[in-house]
Amino acid sequence: MAMANNEKRCFTCGENTTHSCEGCPKRFCSIHMPEHQQSLIKELNHISDDYNKFKQTINEQTPNLHDLALINEWEKNSIEIIQQKAKECREIVIKLSQTPLNDIEKKFNGLNEQIQQHQKQNDLNEIQLNYLRNQLRRISEELNNPIKISIEQYSQTFSNNISIILSKKLKFNKWKQNAITVAGGNGKGQQFNQLNCPAGIFVDKDKNIFIADHWNHRIVEWKYNAKEGLFIAGRNGKGSRIDQLNNPKDVVIDQENHTIIIADLGNKRVTQWLNRQQQYLIKGIACYGLAMDKYGYLYVCDIDKNEVRRWEMGEYKNKGIVVAGGNGKGNQLNQLNCPTYIFVDEEQSVYVSDTNNHRVMKWRKDAKEGRIVAGGNGERSSLHRLSRPQGVFVDDLGQIYVADCDNHRVMRWCEGKEEGEIVVGGYGQGHQPNQLNYPCGLSFDDEGNLYIADRDNNQIRKYEIIS
């Protein structure tokens, strides 16, 4: 009974007369019941305050407008990138589909003109007939071996990217290993049938060879199958007059304008010769290698400033634009060390023989630095190295040919490969038909025959293509 009475007493004062608080296990007298209710209201207010504070915290965690703006900007930029990539791919497909056909049509029209000219003049011989037959065969091979285009898609973090894949099979041509002498080869000298340290060479569409005859301070032309050369420039001996040359290193022929452009290294100038008339193009430049692209831009290697500059035709009074190097002598990707010969491809990418770095560099148009596409592993004779490379040429398939001067050989490299392969030479230094003696200039004719300026043998070697 005592237990029951205690349960009905006031929780605060113990009074017998009590009232229950509904929902509470405790009882209170009339005096303490209001106090109990006030305490409950006070607790409710605390809960309400805690709720409001928590609500404010939640509101503060809501993404703000700046975050949303960043997301919107990312969305916009991503769409623009995808649209730009799609545009570039469309342009590549159109160009790759049309350009080979245009080139084949151009070659075909040129061949047709030659055939008509021979028919009109009635002067065809066995050599010319073989040349025309080989030209037609090469054009037919190009037509029957078109570039096949496929689309490759690969996953990225936020979208899929695509690229153009060319499935045209590389054709690894081969040449006879025993060369024939097509210019010089009669000892060192300055007679019409002699050369003295030939450097850069240029072979035109008629197989005429233009030679920078370095120590003879002249440019000579050897007509196809000729026994001796013709003076083109520098017939007045070494000197600095406008009609003289001083250790020329390279020559290019502007076949459309019928002009000869010369790297007159000893006089630190680039000159132009047209119908025996001479003029300065660029002064005050340690010019070594020269190249001209399909748009008529002239590229000049400056070995003193370790850079390559480009000039627009007729704008030679300005300083030109640096397209490779120009960041001092060095071996970083944005530097060169004694650049010599150069080649410019259809996309205006510049290939440079970076001689003292024993590598060939490729600088894409408007690039801030180049990439190594041959050599760059020190100066040795193994297949992944070069030793003081000189002349350089890149074919239509992007295969890089380089005169590996101090290794007395010519190498072929495919971009992205770690090592190259020997094309000709590589049998030691010498004067035998399968040997070279410090090869410098390098060129090809329309049939794919390879020409080398065999410097210390004082001759131009021709290696005939066999496949």
Side-chain angles (χ1 to χ4, degrees):
M1 294 294 293
M3 288 282 297
N5 289 334
N6 287 335
E7 289 177 357
K8 293 182 179 182
R9 292 177 183 272
C10 177
F11 178 78
T12 303
C13 66
E15 176 68 37
N16 286 327
T17 305
T18 60
H19 307 277
S20 63
C21 179
E22 189 174 345
C24 294
K26 303 170 184 177
R27 298 178 69 86
F28 298 93
C29 66
S30 58
I31 296 175
H32 292 107
M33 178 62 78
E35 292 179 359
H36 173 63
Q37 292 178 341
Q38 286 296 322
S39 66
L40 293 178
I41 294 173
K42 187 176 181 180
E43 282 297 322
L44 178 61
N45 291 335
H46 284 311
I47 294 173
S48 179
D49 291 341
D50 290 341
Y51 167 80
N52 292 330
K53 290 179 181 179
F54 183 69
K55 181 180 179 182
Q56 182 178 356
T57 302
I58 292 177
N59 291 336
E60 290 174 353
Q61 297 301 317
T62 303
N64 58 38
L65 294 178
H66 176 69
D67 295 331
L68 293 176
L70 291 177
I71 294 174
N72 293 337
E73 183 68 19
W74 170 84
E75 179 186 27
K76 176 183 176 183
N77 292 339
S78 298
I79 292 173
E80 290 177 353
I81 291 172
I82 293 171
Q83 290 175 334
Q84 180 62 31
K85 184 66 177 180
K87 178 183 177 183
E88 291 174 359
C89 288
R90 281 192 291 268
E91 291 175 350
I92 291 173
V93 169
I94 293 172
K95 181 178 180 181
L96 290 176
S97 300
Q98 189 63 38
T99 299
L101 294 177
N102 291 340
D103 291 342
I104 291 173
E105 184 177 2
K106 183 177 179 181
K107 292 177 182 178
F108 182 78
N109 291 336
L111 181 61
N112 185 45
E113 290 179 4
Q114 295 180 55
I115 293 173
Q116 290 181 352
Q117 183 176 0
H118 285 301
Q119 290 175 335
K120 181 178 180 180
Q121 297 178 354
N122 196 24
D123 63 348
L124 194 65
N125 56 43
E126 188 69 23
I127 294 175
Q128 293 167 335
L129 184 62
N130 288 334
Y131 170 75
L132 294 174
R133 184 182 295 111
N134 288 332
Q135 284 291 92
L136 183 58
R137 175 182 57 81
R138 288 173 61 85
I139 296 173
S140 298
E141 288 178 354
E142 288 187 40
L143 183 62
N144 294 327
N145 186 28
I147 293 177
K148 296 181 180 179
I149 300 174
S150 62
I151 306 296
E152 180 177 274
Q153 180 174 274
Y154 51 95
S155 178
Q156 294 284 6
T157 55
F158 73 94
S159 66
N160 289 335
N161 200 355
I162 61 174
S163 60
I164 306 301
I165 306 299
L166 305 183
S167 59
K168 185 172 183 178
K169 184 177 179 181
L170 291 178
K171 184 179 180 181
F172 296 101
N173 290 328
K174 295 182 180 180
W175 291 262
K176 293 180 180 179
Q177 293 303 297
N178 287 340
I180 58 176
T181 298
V182 291
N186 297 295
K188 180 192 300 184
Q190 56 185 353
Q191 300 302 313
F192 290 116
N193 66 343
Q194 293 179 310
L195 298 170
N196 190 350
C197 193
I201 58 176
F202 185 97
V203 181
D204 70 12
K205 61 183 180 180
D206 297 319
K207 295 191 181 65
N208 302 316
I209 309 167
F210 296 81
I211 307 163
D213 195 7
H214 182 64
W215 288 117
N216 280 330
H217 316 288
R218 66 189 185 186
I219 304 298
V220 293
E221 177 187 6
W222 286 65
K223 297 287 188 180
Y224 181 60
N225 283 338
K227 300 300 181 183
E228 59 183 31
L230 303 171
F231 280 118
I232 298 299
R235 65 174 57 245
N236 296 304
K238 178 181 179 180
S240 58
R241 297 197 314 262
I242 184 64
D243 61 346
Q244 294 177 308
L245 298 172
N246 183 356
N247 296 326
K249 274 295 183 183
D250 204 5
V251 56
V252 295
I253 310 301
D254 183 355
Q255 298 184 78
E256 289 189 3
N257 297 305
H258 307 288
T259 60
I260 303 168
I261 300 175
I262 304 167
D264 190 7
L265 177 60
N267 286 319
K268 290 192 173 183
R269 66 193 185 191
V270 178
T271 60
Q272 177 178 273
W273 293 58
L274 173 62
N275 297 327
R276 302 187 185 279
Q277 299 297 316
Q278 308 89 37
Q279 64 171 320
Y280 300 120
L281 293 184
I282 307 166
K283 297 181 181 179
I285 183 171
C287 48
Y288 204 107
L290 301 173
M292 182 172 287
D293 67 21
K294 63 180 181 180
Y295 302 105
Y297 288 94
L298 179 66
Y299 299 73
V300 184
C301 236
D302 188 332
I303 59 171
D304 282 355
K305 295 182 179 179
N306 295 288
E307 65 184 20
V308 179
R309 286 183 177 266
R310 181 184 70 208
W311 277 266
E312 187 175 355
M313 185 181 297
E315 299 295 328
Y316 300 115
K317 292 184 179 180
N318 60 34
K319 295 182 179 180
I321 299 173
V322 176
V323 293
N327 295 293
K329 180 191 297 186
N331 61 5
Q332 301 301 309
L333 293 180
N334 67 343
Q335 294 179 309
L336 299 170
N337 187 352
C338 190
T340 53
Y341 293 96
I342 51 179
F343 182 90
V344 183
D345 68 13
E346 292 289 311
E347 305 299 327
Q348 293 184 297
S349 293
V350 180
Y351 295 77
V352 188
S353 284
D354 192 9
T355 300
N356 285 352
N357 282 326
H358 313 292
R359 66 190 187 185
V360 176
M361 300 289 291
K362 178 182 179 180
W363 290 64
R364 294 187 181 276
K365 184 180 179 182
D366 300 325
K368 300 301 181 184
E369 63 180 30
R371 60 172 298 183
I372 301 171
V373 292
N377 299 299
E379 180 185 10
R380 288 292 186 274
S381 60
S382 57
L383 293 180
H384 70 293
R385 297 182 177 183
L386 298 171
S387 182
R388 295 185 57 78
Q390 298 283 308
V392 60
F393 184 94
V394 182
D395 66 17
D396 293 339
L397 299 176
Q399 298 174 115
I400 304 156
Y401 297 81
V402 55
D404 191 7
C405 184
D406 286 12
N407 283 325
H408 315 290
R409 65 191 186 186
V410 174
M411 300 283 289
R412 173 168 58 199
W413 291 66
C414 294
E415 186 173 346
K417 299 294 184 181
E418 294 184 357
E419 64 179 33
E421 61 176 324
I422 300 173
V423 172
V424 296
Y427 297 99
Q429 178 183 6
H431 61 273
Q432 297 302 316
N434 66 345
Q435 292 180 309
L436 292 168
N437 194 353
Y438 295 102
C440 285
L442 182 154
S443 188
F444 289 85
D445 63 23
D446 288 343
E447 293 182 0
N449 300 307
L450 171 61
Y451 297 75
I452 302 292
D454 193 8
R455 190 188 72 189
D456 283 16
N457 282 328
N458 300 294
Q459 62 186 349
I460 308 301
R461 299 254 193 173
K462 176 183 177 180
Y463 293 86
E464 295 180 324
I465 190 169
I466 57 177
S467 65

mmCIF file of all heavy atoms in Angstrom, residues 223-248:
data_model
loop_
_atom_site.group_PDB
_atom_site.id
_atom_site.type_symbol
_atom_site.label_atom_id
_atom_site.label_comp_id
_atom_site.label_asym_id
_atom_site.label_seq_id
_atom_site.Cartn_x
_atom_site.Cartn_y
_atom_site.Cartn_z
ATOM 1 N N LYS A 223 73.669 18.586 -115.975
ATOM 2 C CA LYS A 223 72.518 18.111 -116.725
ATOM 3 C C LYS A 223 72.439 16.593 -116.640
ATOM 4 O O LYS A 223 73.425 15.913 -116.363
ATOM 5 C CB LYS A 223 72.611 18.549 -118.189
ATOM 6 C CG LYS A 223 72.582 20.047 -118.414
ATOM 7 C CD LYS A 223 71.191 20.611 -118.191
ATOM 8 C CE LYS A 223 71.132 22.075 -118.601
ATOM 9 N NZ LYS A 223 69.787 22.656 -118.388
ATOM 10 N N TYR A 224 71.245 16.070 -116.885
ATOM 11 C CA TYR A 224 71.036 14.626 -116.819
ATOM 12 C C TYR A 224 71.991 13.905 -117.761
ATOM 13 O O TYR A 224 72.076 14.219 -118.948
ATOM 14 C CB TYR A 224 69.579 14.315 -117.179
ATOM 15 C CG TYR A 224 69.216 12.859 -117.116
ATOM 16 C CD1 TYR A 224 69.330 12.150 -115.930
ATOM 17 C CD2 TYR A 224 68.756 12.201 -118.252
ATOM 18 C CE1 TYR A 224 68.990 10.810 -115.860
ATOM 19 C CE2 TYR A 224 68.398 10.860 -118.197
ATOM 20 C CZ TYR A 224 68.526 10.173 -117.001
ATOM 21 O OH TYR A 224 68.190 8.847 -116.943
ATOM 22 N N ASN A 225 72.780 12.979 -117.201
ATOM 23 C CA ASN A 225 73.755 12.163 -117.930
ATOM 24 C C ASN A 225 74.924 12.964 -118.492
ATOM 25 O O ASN A 225 75.664 12.470 -119.353
ATOM 26 C CB ASN A 225 73.088 11.374 -119.072
ATOM 27 C CG ASN A 225 72.323 10.161 -118.558
ATOM 28 O OD1 ASN A 225 72.592 9.668 -117.466
ATOM 29 N ND2 ASN A 225 71.367 9.686 -119.343
ATOM 30 N N ALA A 226 75.135 14.202 -117.994
ATOM 31 C CA ALA A 226 76.252 15.015 -118.473
ATOM 32 C C ALA A 226 77.571 14.517 -117.889
ATOM 33 O O ALA A 226 77.599 13.898 -116.816
ATOM 34 C CB ALA A 226 76.032 16.480 -118.112
ATOM 35 N N LYS A 227 78.667 14.798 -118.570
ATOM 36 C CA LYS A 227 79.995 14.403 -118.115
ATOM 37 C C LYS A 227 80.700 15.512 -117.347
ATOM 38 O O LYS A 227 81.723 15.275 -116.708
ATOM 39 C CB LYS A 227 80.861 13.996 -119.318
ATOM 40 C CG LYS A 227 80.291 12.820 -120.115
ATOM 41 C CD LYS A 227 80.164 11.575 -119.244
ATOM 42 C CE LYS A 227 79.628 10.403 -120.048
ATOM 43 N NZ LYS A 227 79.427 9.179 -119.214
ATOM 44 N N GLU A 228 80.162 16.713 -117.434
ATOM 45 C CA GLU A 228 80.740 17.836 -116.685
ATOM 46 C C GLU A 228 79.646 18.845 -116.381
ATOM 47 O O GLU A 228 78.552 18.796 -116.945
ATOM 48 C CB GLU A 228 81.882 18.488 -117.464
ATOM 49 C CG GLU A 228 81.488 19.033 -118.815
ATOM 50 C CD GLU A 228 82.649 19.610 -119.588
ATOM 51 O OE1 GLU A 228 83.793 19.127 -119.423
ATOM 52 O OE2 GLU A 228 82.413 20.564 -120.358
ATOM 53 N N GLY A 229 79.963 19.748 -115.459
ATOM 54 C CA GLY A 229 78.969 20.699 -115.003
ATOM 55 C C GLY A 229 79.031 22.041 -115.706
ATOM 56 O O GLY A 229 79.953 22.322 -116.478
ATOM 57 N N LEU A 230 78.028 22.848 -115.426
ATOM 58 C CA LEU A 230 77.951 24.203 -115.972
ATOM 59 C C LEU A 230 77.960 25.193 -114.810
ATOM 60 O O LEU A 230 77.315 24.970 -113.785
ATOM 61 C CB LEU A 230 76.666 24.392 -116.781
ATOM 62 C CG LEU A 230 76.424 23.430 -117.950
ATOM 63 C CD1 LEU A 230 75.008 23.627 -118.480
ATOM 64 C CD2 LEU A 230 77.447 23.659 -119.044
ATOM 65 N N PHE A 231 78.668 26.296 -114.993
ATOM 66 C CA PHE A 231 78.649 27.342 -113.979
ATOM 67 C C PHE A 231 77.273 28.012 -113.960
ATOM 68 O O PHE A 231 76.767 28.441 -114.984
ATOM 69 C CB PHE A 231 79.705 28.416 -114.281
ATOM 70 C CG PHE A 231 81.095 28.013 -113.871
ATOM 71 C CD1 PHE A 231 82.101 27.903 -114.815
ATOM 72 C CD2 PHE A 231 81.386 27.742 -112.547
ATOM 73 C CE1 PHE A 231 83.373 27.529 -114.453
ATOM 74 C CE2 PHE A 231 82.668 27.366 -112.177
ATOM 75 C CZ PHE A 231 83.661 27.262 -113.126
ATOM 76 N N ILE A 232 76.679 28.094 -112.784
ATOM 77 C CA ILE A 232 75.408 28.784 -112.630
ATOM 78 C C ILE A 232 75.598 30.081 -111.864
ATOM 79 O O ILE A 232 75.013 31.120 -112.185
ATOM 80 C CB ILE A 232 74.386 27.888 -111.902
ATOM 81 C CG1 ILE A 232 74.113 26.637 -112.716
ATOM 82 C CG2 ILE A 232 73.075 28.648 -111.647
ATOM 83 C CD1 ILE A 232 73.530 26.894 -114.080
ATOM 84 N N ALA A 233 76.441 30.034 -110.838
ATOM 85 C CA ALA A 233 76.724 31.223 -110.019
ATOM 86 C C ALA A 233 78.104 31.072 -109.409
ATOM 87 O O ALA A 233 78.539 29.973 -109.080
ATOM 88 C CB ALA A 233 75.672 31.381 -108.920
ATOM 89 N N GLY A 234 78.796 32.206 -109.258
ATOM 90 C CA GLY A 234 80.102 32.205 -108.602
ATOM 91 C C GLY A 234 81.269 31.937 -109.534
ATOM 92 O O GLY A 234 82.326 31.490 -109.090
ATOM 93 N N ARG A 235 81.116 32.246 -110.810
ATOM 94 C CA ARG A 235 82.205 31.971 -111.751
ATOM 95 C C ARG A 235 83.395 32.914 -111.557
ATOM 96 O O ARG A 235 84.453 32.699 -112.148
ATOM 97 C CB ARG A 235 81.700 32.078 -113.188
ATOM 98 C CG ARG A 235 81.249 33.467 -113.579
ATOM 99 C CD ARG A 235 80.888 33.579 -115.054
ATOM 100 N NE ARG A 235 79.856 32.657 -115.467
ATOM 101 C CZ ARG A 235 80.052 31.671 -116.340
ATOM 102 N NH1 ARG A 235 81.244 31.460 -116.858
ATOM 103 N NH2 ARG A 235 79.066 30.876 -116.685
ATOM 104 N N ASN A 236 83.240 33.932 -110.725
ATOM 105 C CA ASN A 236 84.310 34.924 -110.554
ATOM 106 C C ASN A 236 85.157 34.688 -109.309
ATOM 107 O O ASN A 236 85.830 35.584 -108.809
ATOM 108 C CB ASN A 236 83.711 36.335 -110.498
ATOM 109 C CG ASN A 236 83.037 36.708 -111.806
ATOM 110 O OD1 ASN A 236 83.649 36.677 -112.869
ATOM 111 N ND2 ASN A 236 81.749 37.021 -111.745
ATOM 112 N N GLY A 237 85.106 33.476 -108.763
ATOM 113 C CA GLY A 237 85.975 33.132 -107.650
ATOM 114 C C GLY A 237 85.455 33.621 -106.321
ATOM 115 O O GLY A 237 84.436 34.308 -106.213
ATOM 116 N N LYS A 238 86.184 33.259 -105.267
ATOM 117 C CA LYS A 238 85.799 33.611 -103.902
ATOM 118 C C LYS A 238 85.828 35.122 -103.713
ATOM 119 O O LYS A 238 86.777 35.805 -104.113
ATOM 120 C CB LYS A 238 86.746 32.943 -102.918
ATOM 121 C CG LYS A 238 86.476 33.279 -101.467
ATOM 122 C CD LYS A 238 87.497 32.587 -100.562
ATOM 123 C CE LYS A 238 87.263 32.918 -99.101
ATOM 124 N NZ LYS A 238 88.270 32.245 -98.224
ATOM 125 N N GLY A 239 84.783 35.663 -103.068
ATOM 126 C CA GLY A 239 84.757 37.094 -102.800
ATOM 127 C C GLY A 239 83.418 37.525 -102.257
ATOM 128 O O GLY A 239 82.496 36.715 -102.089
ATOM 129 N N SER A 240 83.300 38.822 -101.985
ATOM 130 C CA SER A 240 82.080 39.363 -101.383
ATOM 131 C C SER A 240 81.301 40.253 -102.337
ATOM 132 O O SER A 240 80.291 40.843 -101.945
ATOM 133 C CB SER A 240 82.425 40.149 -100.115
ATOM 134 O OG SER A 240 83.331 41.208 -100.419
ATOM 135 N N ARG A 241 81.777 40.365 -103.616
ATOM 136 C CA ARG A 241 81.020 41.151 -104.579
ATOM 137 C C ARG A 241 79.700 40.443 -104.869
ATOM 138 O O ARG A 241 79.528 39.251 -104.603
ATOM 139 C CB ARG A 241 81.808 41.355 -105.875
ATOM 140 C CG ARG A 241 83.096 42.146 -105.741
ATOM 141 C CD ARG A 241 83.555 42.645 -107.130
ATOM 142 N NE ARG A 241 83.498 41.616 -108.139
ATOM 143 C CZ ARG A 241 84.549 40.887 -108.538
ATOM 144 N NH1 ARG A 241 85.738 41.088 -107.965
ATOM 145 N NH2 ARG A 241 84.425 39.975 -109.485
ATOM 146 N N ILE A 242 78.776 41.164 -105.445
ATOM 147 C CA ILE A 242 77.465 40.601 -105.749
ATOM 148 C C ILE A 242 77.567 39.442 -106.730
ATOM 149 O O ILE A 242 76.740 38.521 -106.720
ATOM 150 C CB ILE A 242 76.512 41.701 -106.298
ATOM 151 C CG1 ILE A 242 75.107 41.127 -106.512
ATOM 152 C CG2 ILE A 242 77.084 42.292 -107.569
ATOM 153 C CD1 ILE A 242 74.422 40.680 -105.264
ATOM 154 N N ASP A 243 78.630 39.443 -107.578
ATOM 155 C CA ASP A 243 78.786 38.372 -108.557
ATOM 156 C C ASP A 243 79.721 37.277 -108.069
ATOM 157 O O ASP A 243 80.186 36.451 -108.852
ATOM 158 C CB ASP A 243 79.288 38.940 -109.892
ATOM 159 C CG ASP A 243 80.653 39.616 -109.765
ATOM 160 O OD1 ASP A 243 81.082 39.872 -108.621
ATOM 161 O OD2 ASP A 243 81.279 39.875 -110.806
ATOM 162 N N GLN A 244 80.016 37.260 -106.766
ATOM 163 C CA GLN A 244 80.899 36.254 -106.196
ATOM 164 C C GLN A 244 80.207 35.518 -105.042
ATOM 165 O O GLN A 244 79.207 35.994 -104.487
ATOM 166 C CB GLN A 244 82.195 36.900 -105.677
ATOM 167 C CG GLN A 244 83.078 37.494 -106.769
ATOM 168 C CD GLN A 244 84.298 38.165 -106.190
ATOM 169 O OE1 GLN A 244 84.200 39.001 -105.289
ATOM 170 N NE2 GLN A 244 85.464 37.790 -106.696
ATOM 171 N N LEU A 245 80.779 34.376 -104.670
ATOM 172 C CA LEU A 245 80.308 33.600 -103.533
ATOM 173 C C LEU A 245 81.473 33.273 -102.613
ATOM 174 O O LEU A 245 82.638 33.328 -103.026
ATOM 175 C CB LEU A 245 79.633 32.305 -104.000
ATOM 176 C CG LEU A 245 78.380 32.438 -104.866
ATOM 177 C CD1 LEU A 245 77.950 31.065 -105.395
ATOM 178 C CD2 LEU A 245 77.238 33.076 -104.083
ATOM 179 N N ASN A 246 81.133 32.902 -101.376
ATOM 180 C CA ASN A 246 82.153 32.556 -100.387
ATOM 181 C C ASN A 246 81.628 31.365 -99.574
ATOM 182 O O ASN A 246 80.801 31.522 -98.691
ATOM 183 C CB ASN A 246 82.450 33.756 -99.477
ATOM 184 C CG ASN A 246 83.564 33.469 -98.476
ATOM 185 O OD1 ASN A 246 84.076 32.356 -98.407
ATOM 186 N ND2 ASN A 246 83.928 34.487 -97.703
ATOM 187 N N ASN A 247 82.104 30.175 -99.921
ATOM 188 C CA ASN A 247 81.721 28.940 -99.231
ATOM 189 C C ASN A 247 80.201 28.726 -99.177
ATOM 190 O O ASN A 247 79.613 28.625 -98.096
ATOM 191 C CB ASN A 247 82.281 28.935 -97.797
ATOM 192 C CG ASN A 247 83.799 28.923 -97.763
ATOM 193 O OD1 ASN A 247 84.435 28.327 -98.620
ATOM 194 N ND2 ASN A 247 84.373 29.578 -96.773
ATOM 195 N N PRO A 248 79.548 28.644 -100.320
ATOM 196 C CA PRO A 248 78.095 28.377 -100.306
ATOM 197 C C PRO A 248 77.806 26.987 -99.738
ATOM 198 O O PRO A 248 78.549 26.037 -99.982
ATOM 199 C CB PRO A 248 77.704 28.471 -101.779
ATOM 200 C CG PRO A 248 78.960 28.111 -102.514
ATOM 201 C CD PRO A 248 80.083 28.677 -101.701
#
